[in-house]
Amino acid sequence: MNAVVGIVGGGQLARMTALAATRLGLKTAIFAPEPLAPAFEAAQVVFRAEYDDSTILQRFAKRCDVVTCEFENIPLETLRSIEQQTPLYPSSRAFSCAQNRVAEKSFFARCEIATSEWRAISSNQDLDLALDALGTSALLKSNRGGYDGKGQFLLKDARQAEQAWQSLVGKQAGRKEEQGRQKQEQVGQESAIAVLEKCLDLQSEFSIIAARSSNGEVAFFPATENFHADGILRESRIPAAIETKLLTRAQEWTRRILEALDIIGLLAVEFFVTRDGQLLANEMAPRPHNSGHWTIDAAMTSQFEQLLRAILGWQLGSTSACKQARMINLIGEAWRDYPKYLSMPDASLHLYAKRETRKGRKMGHVTFRSFT
Ligand code: ADP
Ligand code: MG
């Protein structure tokens, strides 16, 4: 034992994975560029370097028995260079699909998984055509790099669509400059700057988190109902108040994705249920997911432990859960109210020790559970 699990990315997901690993007698090595990444203090080994620092990357990969990632927006080149030395689970292929909305939605279509109507946007002309086809009741989302509603614009009219587009074009230009001489695979669908997506009248949102191990075993956590405001997850609940028929279909789709991408590790898929009862896939993440944080306190196996089991080739754990659980995110300044949760008998408090409190930043979460 005493295997070293490498994690690329140093945020709260890496931190909670490292904590789960420590409990199991494993060591974790974190690779992240931030000087004070929240995961560093929970890990045994720290590699602080930029994602394109090939010397440190090689050292990191050599130190690890297996590597995983805590978020999908890691340059593919970084992932591929790790993969050449050490097993990376899920593979760079899964991440290449999940870090690009056009690739992801095209992949869903190939798997016969329904999504909202969308168009890839690479130019002003594409935008005009897409607005004609889908209407202005739509969202313009950056093709890459978006999370927590960042890089998204809920459109009102064509003029505002143009402004939103210009802002995304500006950001893309900035990012390219930043990447400097780094080789970029800007071919075909990957060159789209944004997607235009029809705005849906949502009844509810839920997510399915599943693990798949190297022998093909798949385990599903109970579906989680999710409540967002301003594009950020505020609250997750089990059991999800969703029709069983839709949950079964969502599980089938999740399994399809796991198998098609040969994912070893975790996969979270976000789903929409529209007011007229349609099930649509929104997006996926081949990693632990915010909507699965309740599993730490209210499931037999947490999503973080399950990830470790899957990538180490261990037997997957039971996903049995409490009768009810509810997780709220502590966003921005809200974390400073943490003492109030300490006196609540059903509350488990988690703080991520981020050095800087920013508006819209996830600083911690609280899980409330009930066994009856
Ligand atoms: P992110 O990568 O930031 O999580 P998402 O595409 O998941 O981006 O969007 C964040 C949230 O915005 C969703 O969970 C949902 O609440 C809302 N949203 C996104 N797309 C649509 C849509 N087409 N119609 C209605 N609401 C949407
Ligand atoms: Mg999302």
Side-chain angles (χ1 to χ4, degrees):
M1 259 253 282
N2 242 320
V4 179
V5 176
I7 307 172
V8 187
Q12 66 268 22
L13 300 174
R15 180 182 169 97
M16 289 185 269
T17 308
L19 292 172
T22 305
R23 204 194 100 219
L24 292 168
L26 302 161
K27 286 194 190 331
T28 44
I30 309 285
F31 186 104
E34 304 86 9
L36 299 168
F40 285 164
E41 58 197 22
Q44 288 71 31
V45 193
V46 163
F47 290 83
R48 200 196 74 74
E50 296 303 320
Y51 288 125
D52 61 355
D53 187 330
S54 53
T55 315
I56 308 287
L57 261 180
Q58 272 192 8
R59 244 184 260 163
F60 165 73
K62 222 167 137 190
R63 184 78 173 80
C64 301
D65 296 291
V66 60
V67 177
T68 191
C69 294
E70 73 135 16
F71 78 124
E72 52 273 34
N73 297 321
I74 294 163
L76 274 186
E77 294 207 343
T78 302
L79 300 180
R80 287 182 184 141
S81 96
I82 292 169
E83 222 163 22
Q84 277 166 12
Q85 281 194 58
T86 307
L88 174 78
Y89 299 132
S91 68
S92 61
R93 184 172 154 229
F95 284 97
S96 80
C97 191
Q99 63 181 220
N100 176 322
R101 289 190 197 273
V102 173
E104 183 175 73
K105 287 174 190 295
S106 309
F107 167 74
F108 285 162
R110 285 199 300 280
C111 293
E112 298 184 9
I113 293 172
T115 61
S116 63
E117 266 192 82
W118 63 277
R119 296 284 188 284
I121 315 288
S122 309
S123 64
N124 278 9
Q125 197 193 9
D126 287 348
L127 180 64
D128 291 343
L129 289 171
L131 287 168
D132 282 346
L134 304 185
T136 45
S137 174
L139 285 106
L140 190 67
K141 300 183 180 178
S142 70
N143 187 29
R144 290 168 171 278
Y147 68 98
D148 289 346
K150 293 185 176 68
Q152 293 197 15
F153 300 85
L154 178 61
L155 304 183
K156 288 192 213 93
D157 50 43
R159 220 192 89 217
Q160 191 231 351
E162 175 62 27
Q163 282 168 1
W165 164 248
Q166 287 308 335
S167 140
L168 290 180
V169 170
K171 279 208 188 99
Q172 162 104 351
R175 205 161 46 220
K176 274 195 184 152
E177 232 163 72
E178 216 173 88
Q179 283 160 348
R181 285 174 293 109
Q182 214 184 322
K183 269 183 276 157
Q184 269 282 305
E185 274 181 54
Q186 292 289 344
V187 286
Q189 57 180 218
E190 298 206 1
S191 68
I193 292 171
V195 295
L196 187 78
E197 211 177 296
K198 211 169 183 149
C199 185
L200 302 162
D201 188 10
L202 296 180
Q203 164 102 33
S204 44
E205 293 187 60
F206 71 95
S207 51
I208 300 271
I209 301 177
R212 184 168 174 270
S213 66
S214 50
N215 64 12
E217 183 191 358
V218 174
F220 292 95
F221 284 102
T224 306
E225 192 167 353
N226 298 321
F227 301 85
H228 293 79
D230 302 326
I232 305 189
L233 181 69
R234 306 285 157 159
E235 184 168 333
S236 290
R237 283 185 211 155
I238 59 147
I242 309 283
E243 249 185 283
T244 312
K245 185 181 81 183
L246 298 185
L247 291 180
T248 308
R249 191 181 310 153
Q251 273 201 357
E252 269 171 34
W253 288 354
T254 303
R255 186 187 287 275
R256 218 178 273 173
I257 298 169
L258 281 167
E259 286 170 1
L261 292 175
D262 195 15
I263 287 178
I264 295 170
L266 278 190
L267 173 71
V269 188
E270 298 175 11
F271 293 95
F272 292 146
V273 181
T274 62
R275 263 201 214 277
D276 56 4
Q278 267 184 294
L279 176 72
L280 303 171
N282 173 30
E283 60 173 355
M284 65 177 174
R287 54 158 172 85
H289 194 260
N290 191 176
S291 67
H293 289 359
W294 64 267
T295 59
I296 300 175
D297 301 299
M300 281 305 297
T301 309
S302 77
Q303 61 168 343
F304 303 100
E305 175 174 340
Q306 196 75 310
L307 168 64
L308 295 165
R309 288 178 180 236
I311 66 176
L312 288 165
W314 294 5
Q315 163 125 38
L316 296 180
S318 162
T319 54
S320 294
C322 288
K323 280 251 163 22
Q324 287 182 41
R326 192 166 77 82
M327 185 251 13
I328 55 163
N329 275 328
L330 301 178
I331 296 170
E333 296 292 335
W335 77 271
R336 296 193 199 277
D337 284 339
Y338 73 87
K340 78 179 183 200
Y341 301 109
L342 299 175
S343 59
M344 298 182 187
D346 61 342
S348 292
L349 174 69
H350 299 251
L351 295 174
Y352 307 148
K354 292 186 181 173
R355 305 296 155 124
E356 213 186 311
T357 305
R358 285 198 296 264
K359 194 170 171 272
R361 193 173 201 202
K362 292 171 178 166
M363 304 299 293
H365 73 265
V366 185
T367 304
F368 305 89
R369 63 202 143 158
S370 157
F371 295 93
T372 51

